[in-house]
Amino acid sequence: MTLNDAVSPDLAELAETCGVATSYQDARGVRQEISARTLHAVLTAMGIRTGDDDETGTAVRSALEDVRLRPWRRVLAPTVVARQGIATACDVHVPRGATVTLSVHLEDSADALDLGSPGAPLESRDVDGMLTDRVRVEIPASLPPGWHRLAVVLTDPPGATAGPGRSRTVEATLLVSPRSVPVPADLDSRRAVGLATQLYQVRSQRSWGVGDLADLTELAGWAGRDLGADFVLVNPMHSGEPFPPVEPSPYLPTTRRFASPLYLRPEQVAEYSALTPGDRRQVDDLARSRYPGNAADSIDRDASWAAKLDALRIMFEVPLSRERAEEFEAFTSEQGPGLHRFATWCALAAEHGPDWSRWPARLQDPESDAVAVFARDHSGEVRFHQWQQWLVAQQRAQAQQEALTAGMRLGILHDLAVGVHPTGADAWALHRSLARGVTVGAPPDAYNQRGQDWSQPPLRPDALAEEGYGPFRDIVRAALRDSGGVRIDHILGLFRLWWIPTGRPPTEGTYVHYDQEAMLGVLALEASRAGAVVVGEDLGTVAPGVREELAERGVLGTSVMWFEQQDDGPLPPEEYRRLCMASVTTHDLPPTAGYLDLAHVDIREALGQLTGDVDQERRDASLEIRSYSDAVRARGLVEGDTTEDLVVAMHRFLSAAPSLLLAVSVADLVGDRRPVNMPGTSDEYPNWRVPLSDSRGELVSLEDLVGAPGARLVVDAARGLSGLSGG
């Protein structure tokens, strides 16, 4: 056994102390051991020097001792997490003989709550030559939810080297979350049925080649008034590159806090109406130049974004009215330094390209003087990108208002991606919070037998705590702005993420654990304040107890029909979870018609993704589909043998589930067969660039969708309103 393979007891303890798994159970329930090479790489990414070429293990032992002493070397943990209604114990580390008093400073209040002094020491040890006591204080259960501050005032004991009687104050973030995300009361009496769509696919005659927020507004109005839908779930709308070319995947954005101006409809910007006739003609000509793109069998984001940028620059020159100027200033003030830093990155990207790692060294640190000088010297360009974010916020708010006006109970549900581009805006702005030298992905499972590498840098658990979970809070707040809820992609990442050392295959990664109490606490607090529902995509390899913990915190899970199986066939829908969003399919699978036609097997075979016998894979998939078609026929839910009949029947089958939310893919309304994404691929398949089409492969516009005869049939089946009844 080589050094890179062997895991010493000290290395194993160091990894486990830092939340790095030394083994895991794979999708088949088989225990897999993690190599020493992987552990060294992951620990290094967390800022821990392990000296992976040190055969004596001295570096590992030194790192282990340092990690053991970390909590003792600080008075308070950087973040203390509590739940409303539950008293929480908090450890404080103080020099022997010091006088200690504690208080809580409540959010949005000048008052402080005195917690008094802690009791007798629970434990003592020598820390860097100083006898240090661990004492405990109780955070009262009566504190309201909020982002509070916990303060400790220490007065040094007689004989202290710094002088007796010297006082100092140490503070920590005190996050008090509600016990759970409240579920809207009316969902208990009547489930919410809605649509799920990849917005860029839904193009109208006046789109600029990409489905946009004006299209979403029309889609939501139609779905609410004509179909009785309660929500529209859309793909992540996070911002991509500020200039073409644009990354096609909505799940690999440059930032998760700010939205993509690509989804703007320029003609609906208020300043459009104030353009001079000549400037308006220019904007109209740019729009008309992109109308042919709506008839193209591919989503061309680059051409659309280039035209919109030109139009937006023309409108940016229009002076804002006094009222609009005040609204803009209020928006930038509310968004604070985060927006300014993002807009600065956009301006820097215009001069140096979107890969910040290739910028001059003086500009790679967002807190450097050189960056501040650049932002000042390019204030107009910075303001242009701030202005775009303001426009997106306005058009998103209009879509949500139209959805609610049309009778939807929830309105727009936004999707939160699991990570960001490794060289994009967040990777630059959050450079102290992200791990380097690793990417996020997933271990092998039945659908991705080689595992997945999503090419995204993970947030460091220790850095999140140091920053009071502010980066994660800001991301969640942005997703919940002007929405009825959020779907969190791979919510299992709030518990653990699969870290893959750079340059290694996904099979050589390991899980890194996060403080789930803190992560779920942030989510519960922000969602309760927004009055929004939270749906967690909890598919894949799920650790024991995770789904139970999510349910306890009021977070809905995800049930995709094809994944809900038991030993003898499909799980009866009556046995689905109540606290979940159920659907027949998802964006990582083909639309239902395509799945029934084995499109997922055909494409994976063509791409060389299947590691086993292809014929056996096809037989297994056919048997799975037959088991579901037999199940719906046994209930008397289908008449006829066409694929379209089965699509409707399977939504009728799903209507028997007790799930609080039921999502119907817009692709299923028109019989689309092509998947929008094939996990585990990049350019081998046109991921995220496939437009909406019907069963014959002909393009479907928003106008076609609104008039599609099968749309109401599928939605009514999901609502349990169609004529057939189960036997």
Side-chain angles (χ1 to χ4, degrees):
M1 180 174 286
T2 66
L3 173 65
N4 280 335
D5 295 325
V7 178
S8 69
D10 286 340
L11 179 59
E13 183 180 350
L14 175 61
E16 290 166 1
T17 303
C18 295
V20 180
T22 58
S23 66
Y24 76 103
Q25 278 196 332
D26 66 17
R28 300 169 297 167
V30 178
R31 181 184 176 92
Q32 301 289 341
E33 300 293 334
I34 306 300
S35 72
R37 180 167 56 178
T38 293
L39 296 180
H40 280 293
V42 168
L43 288 167
T44 299
M46 298 177 75
I48 299 171
R49 297 181 179 180
T50 63
D52 59 354
D53 57 351
D54 177 11
E55 296 187 18
T56 66
T58 303
V60 169
R61 286 192 294 274
S62 176
L64 178 58
E65 181 62 20
D66 182 67
V67 167
R68 288 170 176 165
L69 284 175
R70 276 184 183 177
W72 288 87
R73 284 174 169 151
R74 60 191 316 157
V75 176
L76 279 173
T79 303
V80 177
V81 182
R83 292 195 207 184
Q84 184 184 27
I86 301 176
T88 302
C90 172
D91 284 343
V92 184
H93 298 88
V94 297
R96 172 66 58 87
T99 302
V100 182
T101 59
L102 295 98
S103 59
V104 172
H105 299 260
L106 298 177
E107 182 183 20
D108 299 328
S109 173
D111 298 331
L113 174 65
D114 184 13
L115 300 183
S117 300
L122 301 176
E123 185 182 3
S124 302
R125 68 182 300 173
D126 183 278
V127 180
D128 303 324
M130 178 181 294
L131 186 60
T132 302
D133 294 329
R134 179 171 66 88
V135 296
R136 181 162 290 173
V137 64
E138 186 175 276
I139 308 298
S142 59
L143 289 180
W147 294 93
H148 311 309
R149 300 293 297 173
L150 178 62
V152 176
V153 178
L154 282 85
T155 303
D156 289 335
T161 56
R166 182 182 70 106
S167 293
R168 56 192 173 103
T169 301
V170 178
E171 291 191 343
T173 298
L174 174 58
L175 165 62
V176 179
S177 72
R179 289 199 175 191
S180 65
V181 179
V183 176
D186 61 349
L187 291 185
D188 283 329
S189 58
R190 179 169 61 91
R191 76 136 58 91
V193 176
L195 303 182
T197 187
Q198 299 288 304
L199 179 58
Y200 53 84
Q201 285 193 303
V202 184
R203 305 178 297 186
S204 65
Q205 293 176 1
R206 297 192 65 81
S207 301
W208 292 44
V210 176
D212 58 31
L213 283 160
D215 297 320
L216 177 59
T217 301
E218 185 176 346
L219 175 67
W222 165 70
R225 284 187 294 269
D226 293 6
L227 301 183
D230 289 308
F231 64 86
V232 176
L233 169 65
V234 297
N235 56 275
M237 297 182 66
H238 312 312
S239 187
E241 291 76 8
F243 307 97
V246 180
E247 164 62 46
S249 173
Y251 291 91
L252 190 58
T254 194
T255 175
R256 291 191 291 171
R257 180 172 173 185
F258 300 103
S260 175
L262 173 64
Y263 292 108
L264 286 170
R265 177 70 63 83
E267 299 95 318
Q268 292 193 358
V269 173
E271 282 63 52
Y272 172 79
S273 62
L275 290 171
T276 65
D279 285 344
R280 183 176 296 188
R281 277 194 301 273
Q282 287 189 59
V283 172
D284 291 345
D285 287 344
L286 286 165
R288 281 190 290 269
S289 74
R290 294 308 313 139
Y291 292 162
N294 298 322
D297 193 25
S298 180
I299 305 295
D300 189 345
R301 291 171 173 81
D302 293 344
S304 176
W305 185 216
K308 288 186 180 184
L309 264 176
D310 287 345
L312 290 170
R313 288 204 180 275
I314 293 170
M315 288 186 283
F316 182 63
E317 296 302 320
V318 176
L320 298 177
S321 67
R322 188 169 75 173
E323 181 181 0
R324 292 272 292 169
E326 291 174 353
E327 291 175 357
F328 179 42
E329 294 306 323
F331 175 79
T332 57
S333 176
E334 175 195 358
Q335 295 298 310
L339 175 59
H340 187 270
R341 183 171 288 189
F342 170 69
T344 299
W345 177 86
C346 292
L348 281 161
E351 288 208 4
H352 301 286
D355 183 349
W356 65 267
S357 67
R358 297 176 180 270
W359 294 354
R362 68 184 187 281
L363 299 175
Q364 293 186 13
D365 182 353
E367 299 170 10
S368 70
D369 291 340
V371 169
V373 170
F374 179 92
R376 185 178 64 245
D377 292 345
H378 297 77
S379 58
E381 183 72 3
V382 170
R383 191 170 178 82
F384 172 61
H385 293 286
Q386 291 175 310
W387 177 73
Q388 289 182 55
Q389 289 301 313
W390 178 50
L391 301 181
V392 177
Q394 290 178 320
Q395 293 195 9
R396 277 177 52 148
Q398 290 166 4
Q400 174 66 356
Q401 185 56 54
E402 173 62 15
L404 298 178
T405 300
M408 288 188 172
R409 286 182 287 163
L410 297 175
I412 311 301
L413 304 188
H414 288 285
D415 202 344
L416 178 60
V418 69
V420 294
H421 197 285
T423 62
D426 277 2
W428 177 75
L430 302 177
H431 67 123
R432 300 187 189 281
S433 304
L434 292 168
R436 305 299 181 192
V438 290
T439 57
V440 173
D445 59 29
Y447 284 84
N448 296 280
Q449 298 167 7
R450 302 181 189 275
Q452 298 180 61
D453 186 342
W454 302 328
S455 303
Q456 299 164 338
L459 287 163
R460 284 174 47 170
D462 58 324
L464 281 173
E466 290 290 343
E467 298 187 53
Y469 289 86
F472 183 59
R473 175 201 62 207
D474 293 342
I475 290 167
V476 171
R477 279 184 182 172
L480 291 169
R481 185 185 182 102
D482 293 312
S483 74
V486 61
R487 172 194 176 273
I488 300 181
D489 189 46
H490 194 65
I491 199 169
L492 308 178
L494 302 190
F495 296 78
R496 64 181 188 178
L497 276 174
W498 187 256
W499 287 23
I500 306 165
T502 300
R504 309 310 306 278
T507 51
E508 296 188 29
T510 188
Y511 281 113
V512 173
H513 294 267
Y514 290 74
D515 185 339
Q516 64 195 53
E517 184 70 18
M519 301 295 276
L520 292 175
V522 172
L523 193 58
L525 176 58
E526 295 301 322
S528 64
R529 287 181 165 181
V533 299
V534 178
V535 179
E537 187 263 295
D538 55 354
L539 306 174
T541 305
V542 184
V546 166
R547 285 181 172 143
E548 292 77 9
E549 177 71 11
L550 290 173
E552 180 187 345
R553 300 306 297 266
V555 177
L556 279 62
T558 300
S559 290
V560 176
M561 187 191 75
W562 298 114
F563 301 153
E564 297 292 337
Q565 302 181 26
Q566 51 191 8
D567 291 341
D568 59 350
L571 182 72
E574 293 84 358
E575 297 182 26
Y576 283 23
R577 292 172 289 171
R578 174 179 170 274
L579 288 177
C580 85
M581 180 175 73
S583 65
V584 175
T585 189
T586 180
H587 63 262
D588 283 332
L589 296 175
T592 305
Y595 199 90
L596 292 170
D597 288 345
L598 302 186
H600 54 303
V601 178
D602 294 340
I603 295 173
R604 287 193 295 157
E605 178 188 4
L607 298 178
Q609 284 192 309
L610 300 177
T611 58
D613 180 76
V614 174
D615 291 336
Q616 186 60 48
E617 188 84 18
R618 186 167 278 105
R619 285 192 294 271
D620 291 344
S622 297
L623 284 173
E624 176 194 45
I625 290 168
R626 189 175 305 122
S627 70
Y628 279 92
S629 62
D630 288 347
V632 299
R633 292 183 191 283
R635 292 175 177 239
L637 299 179
V638 60
E639 290 182 349
D641 295 317
T642 69
T643 297
E644 289 71 20
D645 292 330
L646 276 175
V647 171
V648 173
M650 287 176 174
H651 285 87
R652 194 174 289 131
F653 176 78
L654 210 62
S655 71
S659 308
L660 294 184
L661 302 185
L662 199 159
V664 179
S665 171
V666 165
D668 283 350
L669 302 186
V670 293
D672 201 351
R673 282 168 162 75
R674 295 186 295 181
V676 298
N677 176 47
M678 289 300 298
T681 68
S682 54
D683 294 329
E684 304 95 319
Y685 182 83
N687 293 326
W688 319 113
R689 288 163 286 189
V690 179
L692 193 65
S693 60
D694 61 18
S695 60
R696 301 182 303 277
E698 297 182 3
L699 297 183
V700 174
S701 67
L702 177 56
E703 291 82 2
D704 296 331
L705 173 64
V706 170
R712 176 178 290 277
L713 189 62
V714 178
V715 174
D716 281 353
R719 296 174 66 195
L721 299 180
S722 48
L724 291 174
S725 60

